Amino acid sequence: MADLKMDVVVVGGGFSGMYMLHKLRTSGYSVIVFEAGDGIGGTWYWNRYPGARCDIQSMEYSYQFSDELAQDWEWTERYATQPEILRYIEHVAERFDLMKDVQLNTRVGRTEFDEGTNRWQVTTDQGDAVDAKYLVMATGCLSSTNYPQIDGLESFSGACYHTGKWPHEGVDFSGKRVAVVGTGSSGIQSIPIIAAECDELTVFQRTPNFSIPAHNQPLDPGFVAKIKGRYRAFRDENRLTAFHADFDYNEENALDVDPAHRTNEYERRWAKGGISFMAAFADLMFDKNANATAKEFLHDKIDEIVRDPDLAAKLKPDGVVGCKRLCVDTDYFATFNRDNVSLVDINETPIRKITANGVEIDEGVCDVDIIVFATGFDAMTGALTRVDIRGRGGERFSESWAEGPKSFLGLGVQGFPNMFIITGPGSPSVLTNMLPSIEHHVDWIGDCISYLEERGVARIEAKADAQEDWVAHVNEVGDTSVYPQCNSWYLGSNVPGKSRVFLPYLGFPPYAEKCAEVANNDYEGFELSA
Ligand code: NAP
């Protein structure tokens, strides 16, 4: 027997969960948010590693639902740090009195759909039992950490940390010998700072990554005033772009312009800094030869920065630029010019095991006091499939997605009625500026719930054919791009044993048009039952 009867249970208190709560509560529904952490913020709560900051510009990495909030909040830097983003979400929670409906330190456990009542029976590890009509999964795309299985890890006598679960009290690296495993965004952001603090740093690299300088700086008040003078229009304009962000898109194709013009464009973007480098030419993600021109440019930059040519060669990615998420850094490549930093390419000298004293490779043991795993996440599906969700007929959610995620629009899943997913696989999410994509999903779900409630609909569920067509379409569009040409978390190939499927949907803003069309056609593609 449930202790509590609610309209909606939201799982996760990050940016999605908090806005979902606000949206639904404003529409008059009863909502409870369960959050596993002892604070809100989701990814920005857990990822407290040195150097953690957003690589979307802060003037665009914020909610848009309240003009007053947008005007009042003052970001201090071009790219906001993790502590500043956490302060922002805490401010939002306080401003809109959200915490009264958030239960922290609570992990959702077995959650079953009751076909008799068309309601979800949600339980938690704190003994809660909630009967709710709707279940909204706001569990985040990058929240289930990927901890490598390396022999001997348990025998290590020093301290081990994962960038995605960083201790709140911080880590003192001074006087320490440190190993960092992993050179994705988290590794690339933290390595320069750890190097400056510690005695010796050894970086264990499996695949080098492309990275663009951030050129982070304090925000110029004149620039902020200009944006805030037309904030709503500025954000609306970005909504119509491929990355949902102000990336200064160039419509030219790299292969249609002469080499000098091309290099100028790359130089201009390198000097400006940030991931808008990918908007230099329209064909970069769709034509391997076009992409190769960007690769050559970025290889030259590594040669210019890294003094030792052998080291520079090891740091040059062989793959397609942007195929793995492009990184943004502050002094990453220059860090390898430091005397206290060395690089181990684990393709040449694999990690054999971890010993009590450090990391063993063919050439011997690299003695360290601290190992930092910057090894990423079981992205997009991990946080969803680890919740024990059982849908119609007791179907386990984790089993229904065992061979890859299946959904209609990334929002609803056949067999799991009255359940919605925010920025899940099958939606553009991680290929765009996450915050506006979160808001887009929350608004769509909130409006859908209001539609259903106004019409007395008991149950909504994705139809089998709509779901099948959508999954096929997501794969088809993914295959037109260069994304499938490497191993990345976009494909799940960073996690041993995970099915290789292109997870996000490449197609913003057409995706938003499709979502609007579905809603305008009375949620066509979903089965609605009275
Ligand atoms: P990631 O991009 O998946 O990088 C993980 C790194 O660890 C890769 O270099 C990977 O090598 C390596 N690795 C994984 N398993 C390994 C193993 N068993 N042995 C050795 N190396 C291993 O993870 P991340 O850096 O945490 O970033 C994930 C995503 O979070 C980013 O792509 C980005 O979307 C987001 N993020 C954003 C920011 C930002 O806004 N600035 C900052 C951090 C993260 P392989 O490449 O060979 O798999």
Side-chain angles (χ1 to χ4, degrees):
M1 189 66 182
D3 309 328
L4 198 59
K5 198 161 181 171
M6 304 294 286
D7 293 320
V8 188
V9 165
V10 175
V11 187
F15 275 83
S16 337
M18 298 311 275
Y19 179 43
M20 192 77 250
L21 166 61
H22 177 66
K23 169 92 182 167
L24 290 167
R25 226 173 51 181
T26 310
S27 306
Y29 301 112
S30 59
V31 188
I32 184 160
V33 176
F34 289 122
E35 164 55 51
D38 72 356
I40 57 164
T43 201
W44 297 107
Y45 170 87
W46 298 106
N47 286 268
R48 295 164 186 249
Y49 60 84
R53 63 170 81 237
C54 189
D55 60 11
I56 294 287
Q57 304 199 65
S58 49
M59 293 305 290
E60 298 176 66
Y61 196 79
S62 56
Y63 291 125
Q64 303 164 75
F65 66 83
S66 159
D67 286 339
E68 293 75 24
L69 169 67
Q71 289 296 333
D72 291 351
W73 182 261
E74 298 288 349
W75 294 106
T76 61
E77 294 177 69
R78 179 179 181 192
Y79 298 108
T81 59
Q82 174 271 333
E84 192 170 38
I85 299 172
L86 202 55
R87 279 199 296 282
Y88 171 73
I89 181 81
E90 285 167 353
H91 165 79
V92 172
E94 199 184 320
R95 188 173 180 130
F96 297 97
D97 196 18
L98 300 179
M99 292 312 287
K100 67 177 187 217
D101 294 314
V102 179
Q103 187 172 313
L104 300 172
N105 297 305
T106 306
R107 196 168 276 285
V108 167
R110 188 164 167 152
T111 293
E112 289 180 83
F113 185 71
D114 180 335
E115 291 183 63
T117 60
N118 286 319
R119 297 176 69 89
W120 285 95
Q121 304 303 313
V122 182
T123 65
T124 76
D125 64 355
Q126 299 303 308
D128 304 282
V130 187
D131 170 306
K133 179 159 178 191
Y134 301 100
L135 178 68
V136 179
M137 301 304 291
T139 39
C141 295
L142 297 162
S143 41
S144 179
T145 50
N146 176 34
Y147 224 97
Q149 304 296 313
I150 305 178
D151 283 350
L153 192 52
E154 63 299 333
S155 66
F156 182 56
S157 60
C160 275
Y161 305 100
H162 190 288
T163 45
K165 278 248 164 73
W166 203 255
H168 287 205
E169 62 281 12
V171 176
D172 183 3
F173 290 103
S174 51
K176 299 285 198 288
R177 297 158 305 170
V178 183
V180 174
V181 181
T183 51
S185 297
S186 305
I188 280 178
Q189 283 188 331
S190 56
I191 283 166
I193 295 175
I194 297 173
E197 234 181 276
C198 72
D199 242 24
E200 279 171 34
L201 171 64
T202 309
V203 175
F204 291 85
Q205 171 189 273
R206 187 163 75 182
T207 315
N209 256 301
F210 292 101
S211 187
I212 310 294
H215 299 313
N216 185 45
Q217 55 196 288
L219 274 175
D220 167 32
F223 170 75
V224 173
K226 202 170 141 204
I227 300 252
K228 285 195 172 177
R230 54 184 307 276
Y231 218 166
R232 173 79 42 197
F234 172 70
R235 302 296 296 262
D236 285 349
E237 283 158 16
N238 297 341
R239 206 194 300 274
L240 302 173
T241 69
F243 292 94
H244 219 148
D246 179 24
F247 276 3
D248 181 15
Y249 301 86
N250 182 7
E251 297 304 323
E252 293 171 313
N253 285 328
L255 297 179
D256 292 345
V257 299
D258 69 66
H261 176 83
R262 204 160 51 213
T263 306
N264 279 345
E265 184 63 11
Y266 289 141
E267 284 290 2
R268 189 175 75 80
R269 293 194 182 244
W270 178 269
K272 192 174 169 201
I275 50 172
S276 63
F277 184 87
M278 288 317 294
F281 293 102
D283 53 353
L284 288 187
M285 290 313 288
F286 297 94
D287 184 325
K288 206 170 174 188
N289 294 326
N291 194 285
T293 65
K295 172 173 157 178
E296 192 187 335
F297 175 86
L298 295 175
H299 278 186
D300 289 349
K301 288 293 176 198
I302 296 172
D303 280 332
E304 278 171 28
I305 300 168
V306 180
R307 287 196 291 267
D308 174 345
D310 292 338
L311 199 48
K314 285 185 181 165
L315 287 164
K316 285 184 203 167
D318 191 28
V320 169
V321 183
C323 187
K324 284 176 187 284
R325 168 69 150 70
L326 189 64
C327 301
V328 174
D329 71 279
T330 299
D331 296 334
Y332 174 67
F333 293 114
T335 296
F336 290 90
N337 291 330
R338 295 177 66 105
D339 293 336
N340 70 334
V341 176
S342 48
L343 181 74
V344 174
D345 178 341
I346 65 171
N347 297 301
E348 284 174 9
T349 39
I351 298 176
R352 287 179 159 192
K353 62 178 179 192
I354 307 279
T355 68
N357 297 330
V359 184
E360 186 179 313
I361 53 175
D362 281 352
E363 288 149 15
V365 176
C366 165
D367 288 340
V368 292
D369 307 301
I370 297 175
I371 304 176
V372 173
F373 289 106
T375 44
F377 302 90
D378 180 356
M380 301 200 80
T381 58
L384 289 163
T385 53
R386 77 178 171 189
V387 184
D388 184 5
I389 304 173
R390 314 214 177 174
R392 255 194 311 109
E395 186 182 4
R396 283 172 188 257
F397 185 70
S398 55
E399 278 170 18
S400 90
W401 277 21
E403 280 158 27
K406 298 183 199 97
S407 74
F408 179 44
L409 301 176
L411 283 158
V413 181
Q414 214 237 336
F416 298 85
N418 295 359
M419 180 180 97
F420 297 100
I421 301 172
I422 303 179
T423 61
S427 77
S429 70
V430 292
L431 298 180
T432 63
N433 177 359
M434 278 303 288
L435 254 177
S437 282
I438 283 171
E439 280 189 313
H440 170 247
H441 265 186
V442 167
D443 288 339
W444 191 94
I445 294 167
D447 293 347
C448 176
I449 288 177
S450 292
Y451 175 98
L452 302 174
E453 291 305 298
E454 281 157 19
R455 287 160 183 78
V457 176
R459 182 152 129 180
I460 181 168
E461 183 179 346
K463 287 184 180 167
D465 56 345
Q467 176 165 295
E468 225 170 87
D469 290 352
W470 184 253
V471 171
H473 176 61
V474 170
N475 286 311
E476 207 175 284
V477 178
D479 285 343
T480 64
S481 74
V482 293
Y483 284 109
Q485 294 181 13
C486 69
N487 289 324
S488 72
W489 60 259
Y490 292 135
L491 289 145
S493 48
N494 60 326
V495 176
K498 189 167 172 176
S499 304
R500 189 184 165 93
V501 176
F502 188 61
L503 298 169
Y505 174 58
L506 178 63
F508 198 86
Y511 174 78
E513 286 156 25
K514 174 74 182 168
C515 289
E517 185 189 304
V518 166
N520 292 337
N521 291 333
D522 299 310
Y523 296 92
E524 184 182 37
F526 289 91
E527 183 90 50
L528 273 52
S529 2

